[in-house]
Amino acid sequence: MSSIGKKLLSAFVEVTPPDKAEAPSEASTGNTQAQSVKTPAPADQPSDHRFAEYFDKLFSEANIPGPDYYEFSKMTGAMQAIPDELSRFCAAFAGLQVQGLSREKLLSTAAEYLQVLETDAAHFNSTVAGALQEKVQDKKAELEEKATRIQALSKEIADLQNQIIALDAAIKENEEKIGGRQRDYTAESKERKARISADIEKIKQYIH
């Protein structure tokens, strides 16, 4: 029944299936094998109905041949029209006693069904723990990791924005400086050319 807890839980949350199907193990009675059960999970069906159907199926598959506590329980449940509980118990036992059910067998098989529940609960709780780890704890860790990454990226973005502002200011400053130097150069160069041109004309005029 090691896969039963996973299949029941999958009726409520998505549980990653195992890589290989597990072989069914023997029920606590030692006479029958309990097969994997997946409870129907229609969206509009209350969860208590799904669990009730699950446990009904679990007991049905763990039922041993012949009359035992399972048949006794079913019979007393069918006798709800009888208001007195003592009468229901006695009538159900009397009906099954003729088929070979004894008080000792009734009590011993009731204890076996308790063990079936204990074993199933252990598997189910183990599956719940695994699902919590997979669906909650692992995702919390992933969330924290992504939040930390966002903080780091936000800091990096802020640093880059500051660098952009500084670079933009440096670009403007350098453009102004270079533009000013270019204007000064051009003006001085123009003045020198004019002076040389004037000197050339004077040389031609004065020196023969």
Side-chain angles (χ1 to χ4, degrees), residues 18-46:
D19 293 336
K20 294 182 179 179
E22 301 178 7
S25 59
E26 292 188 359
S28 60
T29 59
N31 294 342
T32 60
Q33 290 184 330
Q35 300 175 354
S36 297
V37 178
K38 182 169 182 180
T39 308
D44 59 346
Q45 186 179 27

Side-chain angles (χ1 to χ4, degrees), residues 90-118:
C90 291
F93 180 71
L96 293 172
Q97 190 175 26
V98 297
Q99 302 179 36
L101 180 64
S102 64
R103 181 177 182 275
E104 291 73 19
K105 184 177 180 181
L106 179 60
L107 291 173
S108 65
T109 53
E112 289 177 4
Y113 285 105
L114 281 178
Q115 185 58 48
V116 169
L117 288 174
E118 292 292 336

Side-chain angles (χ1 to χ4, degrees), residues 37 45 56 64 66 68 74 111 168 172 202:
V37 178
Q45 186 179 27
D56 287 342
I64 62 174
D68 67 349
K74 297 284 285 183
D168 185 59
K172 290 179 179 179
K202 290 177 181 179

Side-chain angles (χ1 to χ4, degrees), residues 13 93 107 123 144:
V13 297
F93 180 71
L107 291 173
H123 292 313
E144 292 174 359

Side-chain angles (χ1 to χ4, degrees), residues 120 130 147 158:
D120 188 75

Side-chain angles (χ1 to χ4, degrees), residues 41-147:
D44 59 346
Q45 186 179 27
S47 60
D48 57 338
H49 288 175
R50 283 182 282 182
F51 277 115
E53 291 175 2
Y54 168 77
F55 284 111
D56 287 342
K57 190 73 178 262
L58 179 68
F59 285 159
S60 175
E61 293 185 345
N63 184 29
I64 62 174
D68 67 349
Y69 172 77
Y70 177 75
E71 282 74 22
F72 175 82
S73 176
K74 297 284 285 183
M75 187 170 291
T76 55
M79 294 181 175
Q80 292 302 315
I82 302 176
D84 181 56
E85 184 178 69
L86 174 61
S87 299
R88 289 199 305 271
F89 271 53
C90 291
F93 180 71
L96 293 172
Q97 190 175 26
V98 297
Q99 302 179 36
L101 180 64
S102 64
R103 181 177 182 275
E104 291 73 19
K105 184 177 180 181
L106 179 60
L107 291 173
S108 65
T109 53
E112 289 177 4
Y113 285 105
L114 281 178
Q115 185 58 48
V116 169
L117 288 174
E118 292 292 336
T119 301
D120 188 75
H123 292 313
F124 180 75
N125 290 333
S126 175
T127 303
V128 168
L132 284 173
Q133 181 65 42
E134 176 188 353
K135 300 295 182 181
V136 179
Q137 300 303 328
D138 290 351
K139 291 192 180 299
K140 280 185 178 180
E142 183 180 358
L143 183 148
E144 292 174 359
E145 178 185 353
K146 292 186 183 301

Side-chain angles (χ1 to χ4, degrees), residues 142-158:
E142 183 180 358
L143 183 148
E144 292 174 359
E145 178 185 353
K146 292 186 183 301
T148 301
R149 185 182 176 190
I150 287 174
Q151 290 178 349
L153 290 173
S154 298
K155 183 179 182 304
E156 183 179 354
I157 290 171

